[in-house]
Amino acid sequence: MNAEQQAAPYTVPGMDPGEARQVADLLQARLHALNDLHLTLKHVHWNVVGPHFIAVHEMLDPQVDAVREMADTTAERIAALGGVPAGTPGAIVAGRTWDDYDVGRADAVAHLGALDLVYTGLIEDHRRAVKATDEPDPVTQDMLIGQLARLEQFQWFVRAHLESGGGRLSTAGAHTLREAAGRASGEPRTA
């Protein structure tokens, strides 16, 4: 880290500097995930086709806007804690712990199947971050809880397209984005 990227020598009043660094690091991972999600949502927005095109196309723009706002709020919290938020493409790729979204031009339901898995991973990681911030930083925890509520709502919107009348998700048991996309669009399962 060069001098321009050094963390500030302070943090928010009343917080231990070591704990602030840990929370800022945790938030950096959340920032990478949120930046990746907003780009993924735009990718889907541009590449969705089929009979449900307009419904999915229009459903995604408010999600993109909300996720971009979450990323901005997260970056600002990192800075308030004395950290240096990294939002460059290289930083996102270097900090990523998940596979890149690999569904291109595809039917709306296929994209929704893959997005269901994306949201599941992001929500699980956000829940872990909520638990990790309980003791050291309830302000950050509150921010994450608010984000989590919106992310869970967005996943519900996605899942409404994937759920049968009996409550079964077409993507149940899928482990990869392509597998989830295939199950959602009704492609035969391969062994």
Side-chain angles (χ1 to χ4, degrees):
M1 200 181 279
N2 67 35
E4 292 176 345
Q5 296 175 332
Q6 294 280 329
Y10 61 84
T11 189
V12 295
M15 190 166 183
D16 175 77
E19 287 181 335
R21 280 190 298 279
Q22 289 175 342
V23 172
D25 289 346
L26 180 144
L27 287 177
Q28 184 60 60
R30 298 296 74 232
L31 179 58
H32 291 325
L34 291 168
N35 279 330
D36 188 84
L37 176 61
H38 108 260
L39 292 170
T40 297
L41 289 168
K42 282 310 285 188
H43 171 82
V44 173
H45 174 86
W46 298 321
N47 286 290
V48 66
V49 296
H52 303 289
F53 160 78
I54 199 65
V56 172
H57 186 79
E58 290 183 355
M59 177 182 76
L60 294 178
D61 271 337
Q63 292 183 28
V64 169
D65 293 342
V67 171
R68 286 184 68 177
E69 184 177 321
M70 289 176 203
D72 187 53
T73 302
T74 301
E76 289 171 355
R77 184 65 185 162
I78 293 168
L81 291 168
V84 180
T88 62
I92 295 168
V93 171
R96 186 185 327 184
T97 59
W98 55 91
D99 293 331
D100 199 15
Y101 191 86
D102 63 355
V103 180
R105 180 181 170 91
D107 180 84
V109 176
H111 272 298
L112 292 173
L115 275 178
D116 180 41
L117 232 55
V118 168
Y119 272 118
T120 294
L122 192 92
I123 288 167
E124 288 172 349
D125 288 345
H126 246 63
R127 284 189 167 277
R128 282 190 281 280
V130 165
K131 288 179 183 175
T133 54
D134 180 46
E135 190 63 35
D137 190 10
V139 174
T140 294
Q141 184 187 50
D142 184 60
M143 178 194 75
L144 291 168
I145 289 169
Q147 291 175 358
L148 191 56
R150 296 294 308 276
L151 294 168
E152 289 176 354
Q153 181 186 42
F154 297 156
Q155 186 179 35
W156 172 58
F157 292 166
V158 167
R159 284 183 166 183
H161 293 269
L162 304 171
E163 186 179 353
S164 71
R168 185 182 172 284
L169 286 176
S170 59
T171 54
H175 298 289
T176 67
L177 298 177
R178 288 197 177 264
E179 183 182 10
R183 287 184 183 197
S185 63
E187 291 178 10
R189 295 182 187 182
T190 56

